[in-house]
Protein backbone atom coordinates (compact mmCIF):
# COMPACT_ATOMS: atom_id res chain seq x y z
CA UNK A 1 0.00 0.00 0.00
CA UNK A 2 1.08 3.57 -0.54
CA UNK A 3 3.73 4.98 1.76
CA UNK A 4 4.84 8.57 1.29
CA UNK A 5 8.52 9.50 1.33
CA UNK A 6 10.06 10.85 4.54
CA UNK A 7 13.26 12.18 6.09
CA UNK A 8 14.17 8.63 7.01
CA UNK A 9 14.30 7.83 3.30
CA UNK A 10 16.69 10.70 2.68
CA UNK A 11 18.86 9.61 5.58
CA UNK A 12 18.95 6.03 4.31
CA UNK A 13 19.85 7.22 0.79
CA UNK A 14 22.72 9.26 2.19
CA UNK A 15 23.89 6.34 4.31
CA UNK A 16 23.77 3.78 1.50
CA UNK A 17 24.58 5.92 -1.49
CA UNK A 18 23.24 5.39 -4.99
CA UNK A 19 25.87 2.72 -5.70
CA UNK A 20 24.39 0.21 -3.25
CA UNK A 21 21.31 -1.41 -4.82
CA UNK A 22 21.44 -4.29 -2.35
CA UNK A 23 19.54 -3.65 0.83
CA UNK A 24 17.39 -0.84 -0.60
CA UNK A 25 13.89 -1.40 0.70
CA UNK A 26 10.61 -0.64 -1.01
CA UNK A 27 9.01 0.50 2.24
CA UNK A 28 9.65 2.77 5.22
CA UNK A 29 8.76 1.63 8.71
CA UNK A 30 6.98 4.20 10.85
CA UNK A 31 5.76 4.12 14.39
CA UNK A 32 2.02 4.38 14.78
CA UNK A 33 -0.63 4.13 17.45
CA UNK A 34 -2.12 0.71 18.00
CA UNK A 35 -5.80 0.27 18.76
CA UNK A 36 -6.97 -2.25 21.32
CA UNK A 37 -8.14 -4.58 18.54
CA UNK A 38 -4.81 -4.35 16.70
CA UNK A 39 -2.89 -5.03 19.89
CA UNK A 40 -5.13 -8.01 20.61
CA UNK A 41 -4.44 -9.37 17.14
CA UNK A 42 -0.68 -9.21 17.59
CA UNK A 43 -0.71 -10.60 21.12
CA UNK A 44 -3.49 -13.18 21.10
CA UNK A 45 -3.98 -14.25 17.50
CA UNK A 46 -0.41 -14.04 16.20
CA UNK A 47 0.73 -17.29 17.93
CA UNK A 48 -1.87 -19.17 15.87
CA UNK A 49 -1.83 -17.40 12.51
CA UNK A 50 1.54 -15.64 12.44
CA UNK A 51 4.58 -16.93 10.53
CA UNK A 52 8.26 -15.99 10.89
CA UNK A 53 11.46 -16.21 8.86
CA UNK A 54 13.01 -18.19 11.69
CA UNK A 55 10.52 -21.01 11.09
CA UNK A 56 12.13 -21.51 7.70
CA UNK A 57 10.62 -23.16 4.66
CA UNK A 58 6.87 -23.74 4.75
CA UNK A 59 5.07 -26.45 2.82
CA UNK A 60 1.57 -25.05 2.13
CA UNK A 61 -0.15 -28.44 2.35
CA UNK A 62 1.33 -29.06 5.78
CA UNK A 63 0.75 -25.49 6.92
CA UNK A 64 -2.98 -25.51 6.10
CA UNK A 65 -3.56 -29.23 6.44
CA UNK A 66 -4.94 -29.63 2.92
CA UNK A 67 -4.15 -29.25 -0.77
CA UNK A 68 -5.71 -26.05 -2.10
CA UNK A 69 -4.89 -23.11 -4.39
CA UNK A 70 -2.46 -20.74 -2.67
CA UNK A 71 -2.78 -16.96 -2.95
CA UNK A 72 -0.01 -14.72 -1.57
CA UNK A 73 -0.55 -10.97 -1.16
CA UNK A 74 2.33 -8.56 -0.60
CA UNK A 75 1.56 -5.31 1.22
CA UNK A 76 -2.04 -5.86 2.32
CA UNK A 77 -2.24 -2.58 4.24
CA UNK A 78 -5.01 -2.79 6.83
CA UNK A 79 -6.13 -6.12 5.40
CA UNK A 80 -9.77 -5.49 4.44
CA UNK A 81 -9.37 -6.80 0.89
CA UNK A 82 -7.44 -9.89 1.97
CA UNK A 83 -9.97 -10.69 4.70
CA UNK A 84 -12.80 -10.44 2.18
CA UNK A 85 -11.02 -12.76 -0.24
CA UNK A 86 -10.31 -15.35 2.45
CA UNK A 87 -13.94 -15.19 3.61
CA UNK A 88 -15.51 -15.43 0.16
CA UNK A 89 -13.09 -18.06 -1.18
CA UNK A 90 -12.88 -20.74 1.52
CA UNK A 91 -11.68 -23.20 -1.13
CA UNK A 92 -8.35 -21.33 -1.34
CA UNK A 93 -5.57 -20.64 1.16
CA UNK A 94 -4.05 -17.20 1.66
CA UNK A 95 -0.75 -15.86 2.97
CA UNK A 96 -0.45 -12.13 3.59
CA UNK A 97 2.86 -10.28 3.92
CA UNK A 98 2.97 -6.83 5.55
CA UNK A 99 5.59 -5.01 7.64
CA UNK A 100 3.44 -2.45 9.43
CA UNK A 101 2.19 -3.62 12.86
CA UNK A 102 -1.21 -1.83 12.84
CA UNK A 103 -2.21 -3.52 9.60
CA UNK A 104 -0.99 -6.93 10.72
CA UNK A 105 -2.78 -6.57 14.05
CA UNK A 106 -6.00 -5.42 12.39
CA UNK A 107 -6.01 -8.33 9.95
CA UNK A 108 -5.29 -10.90 12.66
CA UNK A 109 -8.02 -9.55 14.92
CA UNK A 110 -10.57 -9.60 12.09
CA UNK A 111 -9.53 -13.06 10.89
CA UNK A 112 -10.04 -14.41 14.39
CA UNK A 113 -13.43 -12.72 14.81
CA UNK A 114 -14.61 -14.21 11.51
CA UNK A 115 -13.21 -17.63 12.32
CA UNK A 116 -11.04 -17.82 9.21
CA UNK A 117 -8.79 -20.86 9.06
CA UNK A 118 -7.42 -20.36 5.53
CA UNK A 119 -5.23 -17.34 6.27
CA UNK A 120 -1.68 -16.92 7.61
CA UNK A 121 0.45 -13.80 8.01
CA UNK A 122 4.09 -12.75 7.79
CA UNK A 123 5.29 -9.51 9.34
CA UNK A 124 8.51 -9.58 7.34
CA UNK A 125 10.25 -8.24 4.25
CA UNK A 126 8.45 -9.87 1.31
CA UNK A 127 11.68 -10.55 -0.59
CA UNK A 128 13.03 -12.57 2.32
CA UNK A 129 9.77 -14.49 2.69
CA UNK A 130 9.74 -15.43 -0.99
CA UNK A 131 13.42 -16.37 -1.02
CA UNK A 132 13.61 -18.25 2.28
CA UNK A 133 10.15 -19.53 3.20
CA UNK A 134 7.97 -20.27 0.19
CA UNK A 135 8.95 -23.24 -1.99
CA UNK A 136 9.48 -23.02 -5.72
CA UNK A 137 6.37 -23.62 -7.84
CA UNK A 138 4.07 -23.37 -4.80
CA UNK A 139 1.98 -20.23 -5.48
CA UNK A 140 -1.08 -20.09 -7.70
CA UNK A 141 -1.51 -16.31 -7.51
CA UNK A 142 0.72 -13.55 -6.17
CA UNK A 143 -1.06 -10.24 -5.59
CA UNK A 144 0.63 -6.84 -5.54
CA UNK A 145 -2.14 -4.30 -5.08
CA UNK A 146 -1.40 -0.56 -4.90
CA UNK A 147 2.28 -0.77 -3.93
CA UNK A 148 4.09 2.44 -3.07
CA UNK A 149 4.71 4.14 -6.44
CA UNK A 150 7.73 6.13 -5.19
CA UNK A 151 6.87 8.87 -7.72
CA UNK A 152 10.12 10.86 -7.43
CA UNK A 153 12.65 9.74 -10.02
CA UNK A 154 15.45 9.45 -7.45
CA UNK A 155 13.31 6.95 -5.51
CA UNK A 156 12.33 4.73 -8.47
CA UNK A 157 14.99 2.25 -7.34
CA UNK A 158 12.78 1.60 -4.30
CA UNK A 159 9.84 0.35 -6.31
CA UNK A 160 9.27 -3.29 -5.48
CA UNK A 161 8.48 -4.11 -9.11
CA UNK A 162 12.02 -4.63 -10.44
CA UNK A 163 13.53 -7.33 -12.70
CA UNK A 164 15.10 -9.27 -9.81
CA UNK A 165 11.79 -9.30 -7.89
CA UNK A 166 9.86 -10.43 -10.96
CA UNK A 167 12.27 -13.32 -11.53
CA UNK A 168 12.04 -14.38 -7.88
CA UNK A 169 8.25 -14.37 -8.11
CA UNK A 170 8.39 -16.45 -11.31
CA UNK A 171 10.30 -19.21 -9.56
CA UNK A 172 7.71 -19.34 -6.78
CA UNK A 173 4.69 -19.40 -9.09
CA UNK A 174 3.37 -22.69 -10.37
CA UNK A 175 3.48 -23.06 -14.17
CA UNK A 176 0.42 -21.12 -15.28
CA UNK A 177 0.31 -19.26 -11.96
CA UNK A 178 -0.28 -15.52 -12.12
CA UNK A 179 1.24 -12.28 -10.89
CA UNK A 180 -1.65 -9.83 -10.46
CA UNK A 181 -0.77 -6.15 -10.02
CA UNK A 182 -2.91 -3.06 -9.56
CA UNK A 183 -1.96 0.59 -9.23
CA UNK A 184 -3.65 3.97 -9.32
CA UNK A 185 -0.52 5.71 -10.67
CA UNK A 186 -0.43 5.67 -14.46
CA UNK A 187 3.35 6.18 -14.54
CA UNK A 188 3.81 3.15 -12.29
CA UNK A 189 1.42 1.13 -14.46
CA UNK A 190 3.61 1.98 -17.44
CA UNK A 191 6.69 0.96 -15.42
CA UNK A 192 5.01 -2.37 -14.66
CA UNK A 193 4.29 -2.94 -18.35
CA UNK A 194 7.91 -2.16 -19.23
CA UNK A 195 9.42 -4.44 -16.57
CA UNK A 196 7.03 -7.32 -17.22
CA UNK A 197 7.37 -7.00 -20.98
CA UNK A 198 11.13 -7.56 -20.66
CA UNK A 199 10.84 -10.38 -18.10
CA UNK A 200 11.45 -13.87 -19.47
CA UNK A 201 9.03 -16.69 -18.71
CA UNK A 202 5.85 -14.60 -18.50
CA UNK A 203 2.93 -13.88 -20.80
CA UNK A 204 0.39 -11.10 -20.50
CA UNK A 205 -3.12 -12.55 -20.20
CA UNK A 206 -4.86 -9.29 -21.16
CA UNK A 207 -7.30 -9.59 -24.07
CA UNK A 208 -6.43 -7.63 -27.18
CA UNK A 209 -9.18 -5.05 -26.67
CA UNK A 210 -7.77 -3.90 -23.29
CA UNK A 211 -4.07 -4.89 -23.58
CA UNK A 212 -1.72 -4.43 -21.89
CA UNK A 213 -4.21 -4.03 -19.01
CA UNK A 214 -7.18 -6.08 -17.86
CA UNK A 215 -10.49 -4.97 -16.40
CA UNK A 216 -10.67 -5.36 -12.63
CA UNK A 217 -11.46 -9.03 -12.00
CA UNK A 218 -14.42 -9.75 -9.74
CA UNK A 219 -12.15 -11.56 -7.29
CA UNK A 220 -10.21 -8.36 -6.52
CA UNK A 221 -12.40 -6.51 -4.00
CA UNK A 222 -12.82 -2.78 -4.29
CA UNK A 223 -11.19 -0.99 -1.36
CA UNK A 224 -12.48 2.17 0.33
CA UNK A 225 -9.39 3.90 -1.01
CA UNK A 226 -10.21 2.80 -4.55
CA UNK A 227 -13.91 3.72 -4.30
CA UNK A 228 -12.89 7.20 -3.16
CA UNK A 229 -10.53 7.44 -6.11
CA UNK A 230 -13.27 6.44 -8.52
CA UNK A 231 -15.51 9.21 -7.18
CA UNK A 232 -12.67 11.65 -7.79
CA UNK A 233 -12.12 10.37 -11.30
CA UNK A 234 -8.83 8.61 -10.61
CA UNK A 235 -7.84 5.72 -12.85
CA UNK A 236 -6.84 2.23 -11.72
CA UNK A 237 -4.80 -0.16 -13.83
CA UNK A 238 -4.78 -3.97 -13.39
CA UNK A 239 -2.19 -6.21 -15.00
CA UNK A 240 -2.04 -10.01 -14.90
CA UNK A 241 0.93 -11.99 -16.16
CA UNK A 242 1.08 -15.79 -16.12
CA UNK A 243 4.18 -17.90 -15.65
CA UNK A 244 4.85 -19.91 -18.76
CA UNK A 245 5.34 -23.66 -18.34
Amino acid sequence: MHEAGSDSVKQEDAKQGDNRPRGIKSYVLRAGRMTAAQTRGLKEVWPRLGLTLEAGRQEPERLFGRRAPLVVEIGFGMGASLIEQARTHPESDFIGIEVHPPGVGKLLDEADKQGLTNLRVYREDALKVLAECLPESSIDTLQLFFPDPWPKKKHHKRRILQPAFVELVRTRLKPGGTLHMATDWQAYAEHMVEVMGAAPGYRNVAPAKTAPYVSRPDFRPLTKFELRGERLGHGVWDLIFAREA
Side-chain angles (χ1 to χ4, degrees), residues 2 146 184-185 216 220-236:
H2 296 172
F146 305 101
D184 60 325
W185 282 73
R216 181 185 66 84
R220 180 173 75 75
L222 279 169
T223 65
K224 291 181 180 179
F225 162 81
E226 189 174 355
L227 287 169
R228 178 179 179 275
E230 283 189 349
R231 290 195 298 269
L232 296 174
H234 297 173
V236 173

Side-chain angles (χ1 to χ4, degrees), residues 5-244:
S6 69
D7 290 340
S8 62
V9 174
K10 298 176 183 177
Q11 292 167 3
E12 187 176 345
D13 278 340
K15 187 186 301 180
Q16 293 184 342
D18 289 341
N19 296 323
R20 294 184 59 188
R22 289 184 178 275
I24 293 177
K25 296 187 183 300
S26 61
Y27 58 86
V28 176
L29 282 172
R30 295 181 179 82
R33 291 185 177 181
M34 298 282 293
T35 66
Q38 292 164 1
T39 300
R40 173 187 173 273
L42 288 176
K43 288 186 176 181
E44 299 181 18
V45 187
W46 174 266
R48 181 161 48 86
L49 301 183
L51 300 171
T52 65
L53 292 177
E54 289 73 21
R57 183 184 178 93
Q58 297 286 349
E59 296 294 339
E61 292 182 19
R62 181 176 298 177
L63 182 64
F64 291 97
R66 64 175 183 171
R67 179 178 297 180
L70 178 63
V71 179
V72 175
E73 181 165 339
I74 294 176
F76 56 74
M78 298 306 288
S81 173
L82 188 54
I83 286 287
E84 182 174 346
Q85 290 183 78
R87 179 181 61 80
T88 57
H89 295 280
E91 74 283 358
S92 296
D93 292 326
F94 295 82
I95 294 178
I97 308 172
E98 176 60 67
V99 295
H100 297 282
V104 174
K106 173 66 174 176
L107 179 133
L108 288 170
D109 177 68
E110 194 62 34
D112 182 61
K113 289 177 178 176
Q114 296 196 26
L116 300 178
T117 60
N118 61 336
L119 178 61
R120 300 291 186 275
V121 184
Y122 278 99
R123 185 179 147 193
E124 306 280 2
D125 185 321
L127 295 179
K128 292 182 178 179
V129 172
L130 290 175
E132 301 174 20
C133 302
L134 299 182
E136 294 186 3
S137 301
S138 64
I139 301 173
D140 290 88
T141 301
L142 189 136
Q143 300 178 162
L144 184 66
F145 296 158
F146 305 101
D148 191 325
W150 293 102
K152 293 183 179 179
K153 187 174 182 179
K154 65 180 179 179
H155 290 154
H156 284 185
K157 62 190 175 185
R158 296 184 178 280
R159 290 174 171 175
I160 191 170
L161 210 291
Q162 303 288 352
F165 169 79
V166 168
E167 174 57 20
L168 176 59
V169 170
R170 188 190 66 81
T171 66
R172 268 50 188 172
L173 288 173
K174 296 177 181 177
T178 57
L179 169 56
H180 181 186
M181 299 159 283
T183 180
D184 60 325
W185 282 73
Q186 184 173 0
Y188 199 7
E190 293 167 355
H191 169 80
M192 290 174 169
V193 171
E194 180 180 356
V195 171
M196 295 304 301
Y202 283 97
R203 62 178 176 84
N204 193 337
V205 305
K209 64 179 180 180
T210 62
Y213 307 107
V214 299
S215 300
R216 181 185 66 84
D218 291 339
F219 56 79
R220 180 173 75 75
L222 279 169
T223 65
K224 291 181 180 179
F225 162 81
E226 189 174 355
L227 287 169
R228 178 179 179 275
E230 283 189 349
R231 290 195 298 269
L232 296 174
H234 297 173
V236 173
W237 293 266
D238 280 76
L239 300 95
I240 300 179
F241 282 76
R243 175 187 167 179
E244 295 180 331

